[in-house]
Amino acid sequence: QAMRDAIDLSGYLATSRGDPARAVAFFEQEVASYRAEGGAGKGHATALSNLAAASWEAGDSSRALDLNRAALDMAAGLDPRPADGAMWYANRMAYLRGLGRIEEAIEAGQDGLLYAAGLIPETHPLLANINANTAALLAQAGRPNAALPLARRAYEAVEAAAGGPNQNSAAMRAIFAGALLKAGHFEEAEAFLAHAIPIIDAQLGAQSNRALQAREIRAQVLSRSGRDDEAIGLQQQVLAVRDARLAAGHRDRISGRATLARLALAAGRLDLAETAQAEGVAMRQEMVPPSHPDLLLERATLQLVRSRAASRQPAELARE
């Protein structure tokens, strides 16, 4: 067991240093040791989950889902069930979201809450994360009214546990603001972001991923409130920081261009909308299979922009 613990720690170190292939090798060693010993246990399930996460980072999404499922099935059969299983459901949500399987990701979040019922207090921060992630997915899927109570429950639980707001609860308040935006409550969304963004900036920095995500939501709120120039300028600032900090194929760099295109389209700035959307499509095509729903949606949106801009022939747009 001491050897397995050492291998496990090596895997975590490799992960933190951005070396997923090395992390996979370590966690495979650990899983093989448990399998050779036989039987199920928390350590074995944790090793499976860690190998799933490393496989995901290494780009093997199918294997990641299979290993994650194996970890969850093993955890469900243990007595007592490990509380960590709730976190593995949160991981599953992230994997499915990355594959564009939004409805399955929402189901995974709901399954995680059922798994945790009676096992983890409702105010536990781990449940707050599942609630917040599920809320974000529900809002993305066009169900903001279902998202709002989950997002509120999330940030209230974190703030109760921490004794006040922190960057984690502020990020959850930004998710709540995103759901308010989708539900058409623009002034309330702006108020929540005005509270959340300074907290995230103070604790993580204005260029942190969470700070940029909150600003991206604010840009959309500004657009829906008719403040087009402010919205576009803010989203361009977000993109500039991401382009300077993140890898070329990072999902936030890609999705940020789609957001800028939508803002520009709403403002009637068709040249900017077409440029941003075309860049995003080209970047995503390098990262995902042709059938990925995010890519299909962005390709379709690009044709809409080109149609309004009259930059392509109608027959070409129809074929695409």
Side-chain angles (χ1 to χ4, degrees):
Q1 184 58 48
M3 178 61 75
R4 283 197 290 256
D5 290 344
I7 294 169
D8 185 76
L9 178 57
S10 298
Y12 276 116
L13 291 171
T15 299
S16 67
R17 295 177 67 177
D19 190 349
R22 188 169 174 78
V24 165
F26 279 123
F27 290 130
E28 281 178 339
Q29 227 182 319
E30 185 182 10
V31 167
S33 174
Y34 278 113
R35 284 176 174 161
E37 190 175 81
K42 180 184 176 183
H44 190 172
T46 301
L48 287 167
S49 177
N50 289 340
L51 180 54
S55 298
W56 175 262
E57 292 297 329
D60 194 343
S61 56
S62 178
R63 188 184 188 207
L65 282 172
D66 288 345
L67 288 162
N68 173 265
R69 180 77 270 162
L72 290 171
D73 288 347
M74 185 176 292
L78 298 176
D79 186 15
R81 290 173 295 146
D84 291 355
M87 180 173 62
W88 304 339
Y89 273 105
N91 291 348
R92 189 168 190 83
M93 292 174 67
Y95 304 157
L96 290 166
R97 168 62 190 93
L99 294 170
R101 293 157 61 176
I102 303 300
E103 291 299 332
E104 290 178 73
I106 291 171
E107 289 176 12
Q110 293 166 337
D111 289 344
L113 292 173
L114 288 173
Y115 176 94
L119 189 65
I120 302 171
E122 288 189 1
T123 56
H124 195 285
L126 182 58
L127 284 191
N129 287 334
I130 296 180
N131 277 320
N133 292 343
T134 305
L137 290 168
L138 285 167
Q140 182 180 343
R143 307 207 298 264
N145 291 324
L148 286 169
L150 291 177
R152 182 183 294 278
R153 199 178 305 157
Y155 74 73
E156 287 180 347
V158 170
E159 290 176 3
N166 58 24
Q167 56 85 15
N168 196 26
S169 72
M172 293 172 182
R173 282 177 175 267
I175 290 172
F176 187 78
L180 287 170
L181 166 66
K182 292 289 182 71
H185 305 303
F186 308 135
E187 291 184 6
E188 292 178 61
E190 174 73 5
F192 267 84
L193 291 167
H195 175 80
I197 290 174
I199 295 172
I200 300 172
D201 286 356
Q203 296 190 13
L204 295 180
Q207 295 191 343
S208 66
N209 288 342
R210 285 185 166 181
L212 295 173
Q213 288 163 2
R215 282 176 168 80
E216 188 165 56
I217 296 171
R218 182 167 188 264
Q220 295 170 71
V221 171
L222 291 171
S223 174
R224 296 293 295 274
S225 302
R227 296 156 65 183
D228 292 324
D229 290 342
E230 289 180 75
I232 290 170
L234 180 56
Q235 185 61 16
Q236 287 174 322
Q237 292 173 23
V238 169
L239 276 183
V241 174
R242 285 175 174 167
D243 285 351
R245 293 182 63 248
L246 302 176
H250 195 282
R251 60 185 176 275
D252 287 347
R253 290 184 64 183
I254 299 171
S255 63
R257 282 167 164 77
T259 299
L260 177 59
R262 288 196 299 273
L263 301 181
L265 185 62
R269 294 177 57 178
L270 299 178
D271 288 347
L272 175 59
E274 183 172 354
T275 298
Q277 192 71 20
E279 287 178 358
V281 167
M283 292 168 69
R284 198 176 292 280
Q285 283 176 326
E286 295 292 320
M287 304 305 298
V288 301
S291 60
H292 195 290
D294 288 348
L295 174 58
L296 294 171
L297 175 61
E298 288 169 7
R299 286 175 59 196
T301 303
L302 178 57
Q303 307 324 306
L304 170 65
V305 174
R306 286 173 169 169
S307 175
R308 293 189 181 175
S311 62
R312 296 288 191 280
Q313 292 299 314
E316 180 185 347
L317 296 175
R319 282 195 302 272
E320 174 65 11

